[in-house]
Amino acid sequence: MFRSHVLVCGGTGCHSNHSDEIFQQFNALLKAHGLEQEVMVVKTGCFGLCAVGPVVIVYPEGSFYSEVKASDVEEIVKEHLIKGRVVKRLLYVDHKTQEMTKALTETNFYKKQTRVALRNCGVINPEVIDEYIAFDGYQALIKCLTEMEPQDVIDVLKASGLRGRGGGGFPTGLKWQFAKNAAGDVKYVCCNADEGDPGAFMDRSVLEGDPHAVLEAMAIGGYAIGAHQGYIYIRAEYPIAVERCRIAIKQAREYGLLGKNILGTGFDFDIDIRLGSGAFVCGEETALMTSIEGKRGEPRPRPPFPANSGLFRKPTVLNNVETYANIPQIILKGADWFASMGTEKSKGTKVFALGGKIVNTGLVEIPMGTTLRTVVEDIGGGIPNGKKFKAAQTGGPSGGCIPAEHFDIPIDYDNLISIGSMMGSGGLIVMDEDNCMVDIAKFFLEFTQDESCGKCTPCRIGTKRLLEYLDKITKGNATLQDLDDMEALCYYIKDNALCGLGQTAPNPVLSTLRYFRDEYVAHIVDKKCPAGVCKALLHYSITDACKGCTLCARKCPVGAISGTVREKHVIDNSKCIKCGVCMDNCKFNAIVRK
């Protein structure tokens, strides 16, 4: 029996900040002090508050240590674990209150969250099946196999109101019903863990922190629709998630929870992993299945839909990681429990990856209907450096920008669509007054144009033309007619592209046109970038505040600044490359950018 448990974050973010060294250092020092039988060190998944990692939590006190280094471990061992004194200098300090927080649950970051899909992330060792079982793991599967008929399982999902968390929000129970009703002796259950949106890491974190939840849900899906084989399609760029999935599958097979005759019930179901090579289009369901089949990942026309003709042209259920992570809890706690959270048409919770211009970057899970303001200001800690909120991008390259005028909008599927955005898989990028919305639209178009599989002309050529328009605008070479033509092209692509990638590619352009058209006009008519981002439209000049210290001239990499000591200097804009080095180094704020 251990008197203390030390939880060390083993998610990708903290891993990149050497949390493995911290884990090893704890074990080595505890052994050196003869405490290895009294204190257990546990490597967990992501705690969520990535901005202050690596994170270490010591129980039973619940002390929340942030930004821990390997060199701090000795102090924690000697002071906290041996002498019982909390190391205050390492405790997490709340950004807004500037108060030290002694426990994870006391932080503003966690107070307004409700963790369902993330319930075990940062709590258990994801590489030990016994820890998952200790938290009711596989009880839902046992309940389905011993107490419920396949249709009963689907009815529970229908009643819960669970909708797909991968972007489209299609009712999960209805999708499973279609697959169950489809004719065929061979059916499949697939998990989309490709997660290609820039800034999104929700599914990766679930697989790193709680892989058995996904395996259990897929087995439940196999029982419900009559499938005996499942596949997890995961990008190879997620090595930690891949390794933990492999470990979990091996352990589940050893425990008789995957494979032949599961728990003596006569039900057979197994899961294999297929690695993706990072193609964004393979996040689209038909392209994903084509890739699993060993072919080039290209989408197929629909109908027929995968529920009738999916993997190997057999009836297939495909959901993403977060969707599956909810299912065991729904089976155990009931449809009413899940439906009690969220809004009328968007039940339950949603996981978001917070990024961009925000203090608390990381992973959050909130009830549907929580306002964007709550997510950004209360949970996210607000915008750093006293800047103002300008917009938030949801849905990644397929989504749109939510402007400040909709800061208080309740986040759910229908509300986001109504203002020109979408839920997507859960990326939420926050922008402040220093972001150029034309440049943001261009960034996402560059991504989708590069990731287009090229199968259909509207996407292959249309996104290229859109990008050309945006490039002209950011360089000050466009006309107002170009703006109208670009908008018309957006609607053409949406109506004619083959798959979701092409159909949603114009969304960032359309949403920024809808809410920030004045910025487009300023680029075209005034030849200015209001945010000072687009380099071709920038103009640097030196004001009378210049003291002639010559520092700017000495730092300029292209020799564009001239002048003598103690006299006002001048910038030759024909040579200036708009790098901003002069402004960054000026001690008298004498250089302005317009």
Side-chain angles (χ1 to χ4, degrees), residues 42 107 270 280 285 327 341 347 389 441 472 476 498 557 559 575:
V42 180
T107 66
D270 208 351
F280 181 62
E285 57 182 3
I327 290 173
M341 298 178 283
K347 304 296 186 183
F389 172 84
K472 285 178 68 177
L498 175 61
K575 294 181 180 179

Side-chain angles (χ1 to χ4, degrees), residues 314-383:
K314 302 295 183 181
T316 304
V317 156
L318 172 70
N319 291 112
N320 81 325
V321 171
E322 185 187 343
T323 308
Y324 282 124
N326 283 282
I327 290 173
Q329 291 297 294
I330 292 173
I331 296 297
L332 285 179
K333 296 184 178 180
D336 291 342
W337 164 79
F338 189 79
S340 68
M341 298 178 283
T343 63
E344 182 181 355
K345 294 182 179 180
S346 299
K347 304 296 186 183
T349 61
K350 181 71 188 79
V351 180
F352 286 98
L354 277 181
K357 306 288 186 65
I358 194 162
V359 173
N360 295 330
T361 56
L363 209 60
V364 305
E365 185 171 2
I366 54 169
M368 293 280 195
T370 303
T371 65
L372 180 60
R373 184 186 296 275
T374 298
V375 176
V376 173
E377 293 190 343
D378 296 339
I379 299 174
I383 315 295

Side-chain angles (χ1 to χ4, degrees), residues 340-472:
S340 68
M341 298 178 283
T343 63
E344 182 181 355
K345 294 182 179 180
S346 299
K347 304 296 186 183
T349 61
K350 181 71 188 79
V351 180
F352 286 98
L354 277 181
K357 306 288 186 65
I358 194 162
V359 173
N360 295 330
T361 56
L363 209 60
V364 305
E365 185 171 2
I366 54 169
M368 293 280 195
T370 303
T371 65
L372 180 60
R373 184 186 296 275
T374 298
V375 176
V376 173
E377 293 190 343
D378 296 339
I379 299 174
I383 315 295
N385 304 317
K387 299 289 185 176
K388 294 180 180 178
F389 172 84
K390 185 173 186 177
Q393 170 83 10
T394 63
S398 302
C401 292
I402 305 171
E405 65 189 79
H406 292 304
F407 204 23
D408 291 303
I409 190 169
I411 298 174
D412 66 17
Y413 291 100
D414 302 312
N415 282 338
L416 293 185
I417 290 174
S418 71
I419 60 171
S421 189
M422 65 182 291
M423 188 75 72
S425 59
L428 201 162
I429 309 299
V430 179
M431 289 164 273
D432 67 11
E433 57 201 87
D434 292 335
N435 286 106
C436 169
M437 303 314 293
V438 183
D439 184 66
I440 291 294
K442 182 182 175 183
F443 168 80
F444 283 113
L445 249 296
E446 286 174 338
F447 179 85
T448 50
Q449 200 278 320
D450 185 60
E451 291 290 342
S452 172
C453 74
K455 186 171 184 178
C456 74
T457 303
C459 181
R460 182 181 70 250
I461 304 300
T463 57
K464 185 176 178 64
R465 294 292 171 261
L466 274 184
L467 188 56
E468 289 172 355
Y469 279 124
L470 289 169
D471 192 54
K472 285 178 68 177

Side-chain angles (χ1 to χ4, degrees), residues 3-294:
R3 64 173 173 83
S4 295
H5 287 78
V6 178
L7 274 56
V8 180
C9 176
T12 293
C14 288
H15 178 81
S16 67
N17 278 321
H18 312 293
S19 65
D20 265 2
E21 294 178 20
I22 294 170
F23 178 78
Q24 293 165 11
Q25 185 77 342
F26 266 114
N27 280 321
L29 287 172
L30 289 172
K31 186 175 181 179
H33 288 281
L35 297 174
E36 67 268 28
Q37 300 301 318
E38 297 181 41
V39 181
M40 175 182 281
V41 186
V42 180
K43 187 187 295 183
T44 71
C46 177
F47 288 99
L49 192 46
C50 304
V52 297
V55 170
V56 172
I57 300 181
V58 179
Y59 288 103
E61 298 86 354
S63 300
F64 178 19
Y65 295 127
S66 63
E67 298 183 69
V68 179
K69 301 179 180 64
S71 57
D72 297 321
V73 174
E74 185 172 8
E75 184 177 0
I76 296 174
V77 170
K78 289 182 176 179
E79 290 296 314
H80 191 148
L81 298 175
I82 295 178
K83 298 178 181 178
R85 299 191 293 222
V86 173
V87 183
K88 291 185 178 181
R89 73 174 184 86
L90 294 175
L91 289 177
Y92 169 69
V93 177
D94 186 271
H95 173 75
K96 284 194 171 182
T97 64
Q98 292 301 304
E99 295 178 355
M100 287 186 297
T101 306
K102 292 184 179 180
L104 194 71
T105 53
E106 294 178 8
T107 66
N108 287 321
F109 181 79
Y110 288 97
K111 281 180 181 177
K112 295 187 178 181
Q113 292 191 49
T114 302
R115 293 165 77 87
V116 179
L118 299 179
R119 64 192 176 278
N120 289 332
C121 294
V123 176
I124 66 172
N125 184 339
E127 298 182 11
V128 178
I129 190 173
D130 291 334
E131 294 204 14
Y132 178 68
I133 291 173
F135 284 82
D136 295 327
Y138 290 104
Q139 293 299 312
L141 176 60
I142 293 170
K143 180 178 180 180
C144 290
L145 296 181
T146 60
E147 301 176 22
M148 303 172 72
E149 295 296 324
Q151 187 59 50
D152 296 335
V153 176
I154 293 174
D155 289 343
V156 169
L157 289 187
K158 286 181 178 178
S160 73
L162 175 66
R163 295 171 65 173
R165 294 327 196 219
F170 191 82
T172 304
L174 191 58
K175 179 184 284 189
W176 286 25
Q177 186 73 68
F178 290 153
K180 180 182 185 299
N181 294 344
D185 296 331
V186 177
K187 299 180 181 181
Y188 296 101
V189 174
C190 292
C191 174
N192 182 351
D194 189 60
E195 195 172 49
D197 289 4
F201 52 95
M202 302 75 58
D203 292 350
R204 183 196 74 197
S205 295
V206 172
L207 289 177
E208 289 177 352
D210 196 16
H212 284 285
V214 176
L215 304 187
E216 181 177 12
M218 291 178 69
I220 291 171
Y223 175 70
I225 72 167
H228 301 292
Q229 179 64 48
Y231 291 97
I232 299 177
Y233 186 86
I234 181 170
R235 55 181 44 222
E237 292 96 326
Y238 287 175
I240 297 176
V242 171
E243 179 61 20
R244 289 179 182 168
C245 280
R246 285 176 172 155
I247 292 170
I249 290 172
K250 181 176 182 290
Q251 291 175 340
R253 286 171 179 163
E254 291 172 350
Y255 274 53
L257 297 165
L258 286 179
K260 298 288 185 181
N261 191 25
I262 295 175
L263 299 174
T265 61
F267 173 60
D268 302 337
F269 188 80
D270 208 351
I271 296 173
D272 289 307
I273 295 173
R274 293 293 181 268
L275 299 183
S277 58
F280 181 62
V281 73
C282 287
E284 195 276 337
E285 57 182 3
T286 62
L288 182 152
M289 294 176 196
T290 304
S291 182
I292 291 178
E293 293 169 2

Side-chain angles (χ1 to χ4, degrees), residues 529-548:
C529 175
V533 172
C534 300
K535 284 189 175 182
L537 302 180
L538 296 183
H539 178 85
Y540 287 84
S541 59
I542 299 177
T543 68
D544 292 337
C546 177
K547 305 298 182 182

